[in-house]
Amino acid sequence: MVRKSMLKPTLFATVFILLAVYAFFNTFIYPIDSSSKSFSILSTDFPRNPLNVSPVKVYMYDLPRKFTYGVIEHYMMARGSSLKVPVHDVSVLRVSDPDEADLFYVPFFSSLSLVVNPIRPAGGIGSEGPVYSDEETQEELIEWLEGQEYWRRNNGWDHVFICQDPNALYKVIDRVKNGVLLVSDFGRLRADQASLVKDLILPYSHRINSYNGEVGVENRNSLLFFMGNRYRKEGGKIRDLLFQVLENEEDVVIKHGAQSRESRRMATQGMHSSKFCLHPAGDTPSACRLFDAIVSLCVPVIVSDRIELPFEDAIDYRKIAIFVDSTSAVNPGFLVSMLRTVTTEKILEYQQELKLVKHYFEYEDPNGTVNEIWRQVSQKLPLIKLMINRDKRLVKRDLPEPDCACICSNQTGIINTL
Amino acid sequence: MVRKSMLKPTLFATVFILLAVYAFFNTFIYPIDSSSKSFSILSTDFPRNPLNVSPVKVYMYDLPRKFTYGVIEHYMMARGSSLKVPVHDVSVLRVSDPDEADLFYVPFFSSLSLVVNPIRPAGGIGSEGPVYSDEETQEELIEWLEGQEYWRRNNGWDHVFICQDPNALYKVIDRVKNGVLLVSDFGRLRADQASLVKDLILPYSHRINSYNGEVGVENRNSLLFFMGNRYRKEGGKIRDLLFQVLENEEDVVIKHGAQSRESRRMATQGMHSSKFCLHPAGDTPSACRLFDAIVSLCVPVIVSDRIELPFEDAIDYRKIAIFVDSTSAVNPGFLVSMLRTVTTEKILEYQQELKLVKHYFEYEDPNGTVNEIWRQVSQKLPLIKLMINRDKRLVKRDLPEPDCACICSNQTGIINTL
């Protein structure tokens, strides 16, 4: 069975992220030598550096072209479009000698590969070679990786993969699961494949334009806005129920709409002129709409019980969004009467906070998403190193269950965060 | 049932650790203001600090005296002895305003409390008040904590406790388990109470003197040395089996011995004059003997299948020790014939590595254990913050199992690491 990209509506979002992270690595400056600026910032003449911090060193594989720009070429051949990438400063240090590296970045364009796959017809426009196959490319990547000394050395623990599309790398996920996976959510991943401890939740790149005006409710006449597919699978089944309880409320704008230039224009206009923006689950718990709402300063109302959120150590989402449990949200009248009780003062507070954290969701901001991704990856290094060292000295044991170290939530569970 | 300290043989070790960590906090200098040295080291005049690092800020509770020095007074009344504490530089910043703190240190002398408990007779020497009760003191601590706004605020996730003795805090462990627990091992703790992700393994303070000579085997005439209790519970049952297979080997020194000044002198002499030092499990997987071996430059031979090791992200223990699985180790002839194959060159390599990491196990070294403990605790901060934020916004869900994020070992399991 060939899987399709979950992200077709947000193609540019996912492609953009792959390219942004790849490009940053291809453009930022190597240290000239070990006494270079990147190091000397931390090893000053002060008598003591109380943190003994040095930047995490990352090696990016010089992956065969077919796994990187080759995928783009296939994409462009089929679509006839081009892609732009931003340039960044970063919170890690790229090294050219893999022996110096703490982490290894495998820059396979996994989500893009999934996108290219199903739309590339045999003998399509500009086609001369064989038909592109995402599955085969995934298998070839593993074959290539297993030939790498640094991959074998630590069983892949210190390798970083972007697989933002919930179906990206699906065919080989069990063979790369030791690595740090950069994902959108854990909707399609088992607990033994990915977790908040080992992996990282990425934000989607927002599709609509940021709202650059001031905080305020004067030009935000609708209470609640949603535009998107009414019918989705799995967690997204709630959407139809939400349509039913909301579509007759007069200050609510809720529209079924597919992806198009025109609907993006309408969504921009709608999100910039509503106080709250609904974010129901899609087929998986995450969706780019949340990030569209954030950059629109439209307070997100999140109805997605299993959602995981990017950078949640740095962002307290209760300050920028309202969480409502699914069961309550589909009760007729519940959502709107709750939202109508929110004072203008409180909405302005949410908007102020949204402004403060907005940069985390701007892939083009030098102090934005890409920098934060690498900062977060580097924070995982101590645990990665511990697992590498520990795994190699563990002797044979009879264990009644897998040998896992966990951190568990309190499971207290609230109805809503208002 | 009143539990006793597991650590009576190593009383000074555990007391020393409690005091060392407490004292460092009471002696190191607060920043004068936000532009003080501790900060300015990191915010230099360089155009960009690539890591945006600022030291983790820790608030130490001004705990009622009965939980700290009060425990020492009870100890000294019963024992008539006194205690000395070292002074340290550190990798975190103590703050006096709890609102500024990232973490909260609860300096209850938990292991010492356990030690005082069973030996304090009613109406004993110097006694005037009621009999000391560790259990009651634990309950009182929780009562006191639950009155603290900062404890309630984040459900205790950001609080740090030392409970090195496997029985320390046992009565209230389920009420402090959200916190970062500094422990010796997980022998008496369930997976939902403590883990490598949330908590920290501490080294015991070594009891015998460090070997300050050079690397070499000239003065190390015995192959393998062990001195300690032949009969222990649980994992320690292996000791008797090891005695049986080793006691007739001519180049092995293996002695049953209880704790005394004389046996400490003999152990020092034995560890300083043996190539390898056996480290079998005790009642729980850890024991101070490992750290005695390390500071003696006597290559540890670890036969403790469930052992967890301090600072394993920073230390690759395969470079300083040999791990052997229990089943193989008790095979007659296996251990000695394996150790006899180790070349002098390889032993010198182990010794060189031991010298390099020795400072991690020296509580009195300014660049030693205490500093490393706080550095490691501060590395846990991002995950702690994530859990705090996430817990507060999680809505009601029906979950088939607890909501945990885990990292799991490969469970490949080797026979030995030689």
Side-chain angles (χ1 to χ4, degrees):
Chain A
M1 189 200 72
V2 174
R3 292 210 202 175
K4 291 191 181 180
S5 166
M6 297 281 298
L7 300 178
K8 267 200 279 185
T10 54
L11 171 66
F12 278 96
T14 175
V15 168
F16 187 82
I17 291 162
L18 279 170
L19 287 173
V21 179
Y22 184 65
F24 113 81
F25 251 104
N26 268 329
T27 50
F28 83 89
I29 298 151
Y30 281 95
I32 295 156
D33 58 43
S34 64
S35 65
S36 71
K37 183 182 138 192
S38 297
F39 280 108
S40 61
I41 288 175
L42 290 156
S43 57
T44 65
D45 292 336
F46 288 93
R48 191 171 181 80
N49 174 344
L51 293 173
N52 284 320
V53 176
S54 63
V56 169
K57 300 180 206 78
V58 182
Y59 176 79
M60 180 167 78
Y61 278 112
D62 187 16
L63 217 55
R65 191 177 171 81
K66 65 178 168 186
F67 298 116
T68 59
Y69 289 124
V71 183
I72 296 184
E73 284 159 13
H74 279 281
Y75 173 81
M76 294 201 298
M77 277 196 286
R79 297 284 178 101
S81 52
S82 65
L83 297 160
K84 283 181 198 153
V85 292
V87 173
H88 288 293
D89 254 4
V90 286
S91 43
V92 289
L93 182 70
R94 184 179 176 186
V95 292
S96 57
D97 178 356
D99 269 334
E100 283 178 14
D102 300 304
L103 294 170
F104 294 79
Y105 171 37
V106 184
F108 172 45
F109 290 2
S110 59
S111 299
L112 187 59
S113 178
L114 204 59
V115 173
V116 176
N117 189 50
I119 60 150
R120 178 95 173 81
I125 308 152
S127 161
E128 277 160 27
V131 174
Y132 186 85
S133 161
D134 173 45
E135 289 201 353
E136 275 170 31
T137 311
Q138 290 182 43
E139 294 283 3
E140 280 165 32
L141 177 76
I142 297 296
E143 213 170 288
W144 180 86
L145 261 180
E146 287 173 353
Q148 304 302 313
E149 163 194 356
Y150 296 96
W151 170 256
R152 294 193 304 267
R153 190 180 59 170
N154 294 324
N155 264 317
W157 284 111
D158 48 4
H159 281 56
V160 181
F161 298 85
I162 303 192
C163 35
Q164 184 166 36
D165 188 299
N167 282 334
L169 285 175
Y170 72 96
K171 194 140 204 285
V172 297
I173 198 81
D174 278 322
R175 291 152 84 186
V176 299
K177 69 177 181 183
N178 277 355
V180 179
L181 308 179
L182 313 190
V183 301
S184 293
D185 57 44
F186 303 129
R188 298 275 162 95
L189 296 162
R190 294 193 312 270
D192 69 309
Q193 290 170 330
S195 81
L196 287 172
V197 170
K198 181 178 72 68
D199 309 300
L200 205 64
I201 303 291
L202 295 192
Y204 291 93
S205 171
H206 57 85
R207 298 161 310 163
I208 71 171
N209 299 333
S210 294
Y211 178 79
N212 293 318
E214 285 307 302
V215 303
V217 294
E218 297 75 19
N219 301 317
R220 294 182 181 266
N221 296 318
S222 59
L223 179 73
L224 183 64
F225 177 85
F226 173 78
M227 195 168 135
N229 198 327
R230 180 168 181 156
Y231 307 101
R232 300 296 291 265
K233 289 176 286 188
E234 299 170 32
K237 284 181 182 157
I238 197 174
R239 290 188 176 194
D240 184 38
L241 300 172
L242 288 169
F243 267 81
Q244 291 172 36
V245 299
L246 291 172
E247 62 193 348
N248 295 319
E249 299 288 344
E250 64 174 28
D251 48 0
V252 172
V253 180
I254 185 161
K255 284 182 195 155
H256 175 72
Q259 178 76 358
S260 73
R261 182 184 297 247
E262 173 58 14
S263 62
R264 200 144 83 213
R265 198 196 56 75
M266 283 171 67
T268 302
Q269 205 266 323
M271 285 191 163
H272 288 192
S273 62
S274 186
K275 297 179 190 72
F276 298 98
C277 281
L278 187 63
H279 175 74
D283 294 347
T284 65
S286 69
C288 62
R289 193 165 288 102
L290 172 62
F291 309 103
D292 288 337
I294 290 171
V295 301
S296 300
L297 303 193
C298 181
V299 183
V301 177
I302 299 174
V303 184
S304 178
D305 298 353
R306 297 184 57 209
I307 199 167
E308 297 296 348
L309 296 160
F311 317 146
E312 198 164 2
D313 61 327
I315 301 170
D316 181 353
Y317 281 87
R318 284 177 312 154
K319 292 186 178 166
I320 60 165
I322 297 169
F323 293 82
V324 184
D325 82 292
S326 295
T327 314
S328 306
V330 297
N331 271 348
F334 181 89
L335 264 186
V336 282
S337 41
M338 185 190 79
L339 294 177
R340 282 181 194 133
T341 66
V342 186
T343 61
T344 297
E345 198 183 357
K346 182 72 189 164
I347 294 172
L348 297 181
E349 267 176 39
Y350 279 120
Q351 289 179 343
Q352 293 286 11
E353 289 288 336
L354 283 165
K355 274 195 105 137
L356 289 177
V357 302
K358 203 163 152 272
H359 68 96
Y360 285 111
F361 307 102
E362 300 283 11
Y363 274 84
E364 303 197 43
D365 186 332
N367 185 29
T369 315
V370 176
N371 200 47
E372 184 63 15
I373 289 170
W374 285 104
R375 199 182 67 81
Q376 298 256 343
V377 168
S378 68
Q379 285 174 350
K380 297 190 183 286
L381 188 60
L383 197 58
I384 291 169
K385 285 188 169 170
L386 189 156
M387 291 306 284
I388 289 172
N389 285 335
R390 185 172 176 275
D391 254 17
K392 290 181 182 167
R393 59 88 182 161
L394 280 179
V395 295
K396 277 194 165 179
R397 296 181 287 172
D398 282 327
L399 290 173
E401 50 197 25
D403 175 23
C404 300
C406 304
I407 188 164
C408 304
S409 79
N410 280 324
Q411 302 173 66
T412 41
I414 47 181
I415 304 292
N416 70 72
T417 60
L418 200 60
Chain B
M1 188 201 72
V2 173
R3 292 207 203 177
K4 290 191 183 182
S5 167
M6 297 281 295
L7 299 179
K8 267 200 278 183
T10 53
L11 171 67
F12 277 95
T14 174
V15 168
F16 187 82
I17 291 161
L18 278 170
L19 288 173
V21 180
Y22 184 66
F24 112 78
F25 250 104
N26 269 329
T27 49
F28 82 88
I29 297 151
Y30 281 95
I32 294 157
D33 58 45
S34 64
S35 64
S36 71
K37 184 183 137 194
S38 296
F39 279 108
S40 62
I41 288 174
L42 290 156
S43 58
T44 65
D45 291 337
F46 288 93
R48 191 171 181 81
N49 172 341
L51 293 174
N52 284 320
V53 177
S54 62
V56 169
K57 300 179 205 80
V58 182
Y59 177 78
M60 180 168 76
Y61 279 111
D62 186 14
L63 216 54
R65 191 177 170 82
K66 65 178 168 188
F67 298 115
T68 58
Y69 288 125
V71 182
I72 296 184
E73 283 159 13
H74 278 282
Y75 172 80
M76 294 201 297
M77 276 196 287
R79 297 284 178 103
S81 51
S82 65
L83 298 160
K84 281 181 201 155
V85 294
V87 173
H88 288 293
D89 255 4
V90 286
S91 44
V92 288
L93 182 69
R94 182 179 176 186
V95 292
S96 57
D97 178 357
D99 270 333
E100 283 178 16
D102 299 304
L103 294 170
F104 294 79
Y105 172 38
V106 184
F108 172 45
F109 290 3
S110 59
S111 299
L112 187 59
S113 178
L114 204 58
V115 174
V116 175
N117 189 48
I119 60 146
R120 178 94 172 80
I125 307 150
S127 162
E128 277 160 26
V131 175
Y132 186 85
S133 161
D134 172 44
E135 290 202 352
E136 274 170 33
T137 311
Q138 290 183 43
E139 295 283 2
E140 281 166 30
L141 177 76
I142 298 297
E143 212 170 287
W144 180 87
L145 262 180
E146 287 173 354
Q148 304 302 312
E149 163 194 355
Y150 296 96
W151 170 257
R152 294 192 305 266
R153 190 179 62 172
N154 293 326
N155 265 317
W157 283 112
D158 47 5
H159 282 55
V160 181
F161 297 84
I162 303 191
C163 34
Q164 184 167 36
D165 188 298
N167 282 334
L169 284 174
Y170 73 96
K171 193 140 205 280
V172 296
I173 197 82
D174 278 320
R175 292 152 86 186
V176 299
K177 69 178 181 184
N178 277 356
V180 180
L181 308 180
L182 312 190
V183 301
S184 293
D185 58 44
F186 302 131
R188 299 274 162 97
L189 296 162
R190 293 193 313 269
D192 69 309
Q193 290 171 329
S195 81
L196 287 172
V197 170
K198 182 178 71 66
D199 308 299
L200 204 65
I201 302 290
L202 295 193
Y204 292 91
S205 170
H206 57 87
R207 297 162 310 165
I208 71 170
N209 299 334
S210 294
Y211 179 78
N212 293 319
E214 284 308 302
V215 303
V217 294
E218 296 74 19
N219 301 317
R220 294 181 181 267
N221 296 318
S222 60
L223 178 73
L224 181 64
F225 177 84
F226 173 79
M227 195 169 134
N229 199 328
R230 179 168 183 158
Y231 307 101
R232 299 297 289 264
K233 289 177 287 187
E234 298 168 33
K237 284 179 182 157
I238 197 175
R239 291 187 176 193
D240 183 37
L241 300 173
L242 288 168
F243 267 81
Q244 291 172 35
V245 298
L246 292 172
E247 60 194 349
N248 295 319
E249 299 287 344
E250 64 175 30
D251 49 359
V252 172
V253 180
I254 185 160
K255 285 182 198 156
H256 175 73
Q259 178 74 358
S260 72
R261 183 185 296 247
E262 173 57 16
S263 61
R264 199 144 85 213
R265 198 195 57 74
M266 283 170 67
T268 302
Q269 205 266 325
M271 286 190 163
H272 289 194
S273 62
S274 185
K275 297 180 189 71
F276 299 98
C277 281
L278 186 63
H279 175 74
D283 294 346
T284 67
S286 69
C288 63
R289 192 165 290 101
L290 173 61
F291 309 103
D292 288 337
I294 290 172
V295 301
S296 298
L297 302 194
C298 180
V299 184
V301 177
I302 299 175
V303 183
S304 176
D305 298 353
R306 298 185 57 212
I307 199 166
E308 298 295 349
L309 296 159
F311 317 146
E312 197 164 4
D313 62 327
I315 301 169
D316 181 352
Y317 281 87
R318 284 177 313 154
K319 292 187 178 164
I320 60 166
I322 297 169
F323 293 82
V324 184
D325 83 292
S326 296
T327 315
S328 307
V330 297
N331 271 347
F334 181 88
L335 264 186
V336 280
S337 41
M338 183 188 82
L339 294 177
R340 281 181 195 133
T341 67
V342 186
T343 61
T344 297
E345 198 182 359
K346 182 72 188 164
I347 293 171
L348 297 181
E349 266 176 42
Y350 280 120
Q351 289 180 342
Q352 292 287 8
E353 290 288 335
L354 283 165
K355 273 195 106 138
L356 288 177
V357 301
K358 205 163 151 272
H359 67 96
Y360 285 111
F361 307 103
E362 299 284 10
Y363 274 84
E364 303 197 42
D365 186 332
N367 186 29
T369 316
V370 176
N371 200 48
E372 185 61 14
I373 289 171
W374 285 105
R375 199 181 68 80
Q376 298 256 344
V377 168
S378 68
Q379 285 174 350
K380 297 191 183 284
L381 190 60
L383 196 59
I384 292 169
K385 285 187 170 172
L386 190 158
M387 291 306 283
I388 288 172
N389 286 334
R390 184 172 176 276
D391 253 18
K392 290 181 181 166
R393 59 90 181 160
L394 280 179
V395 295
K396 277 191 164 183
R397 297 181 287 173
D398 282 327
L399 291 173
E401 49 197 25
D403 175 23
C404 300
C406 303
I407 190 163
C408 304
S409 80
N410 281 325
Q411 302 171 64
T412 39
I414 47 181
I415 303 291
N416 70 72
T417 59
L418 200 59

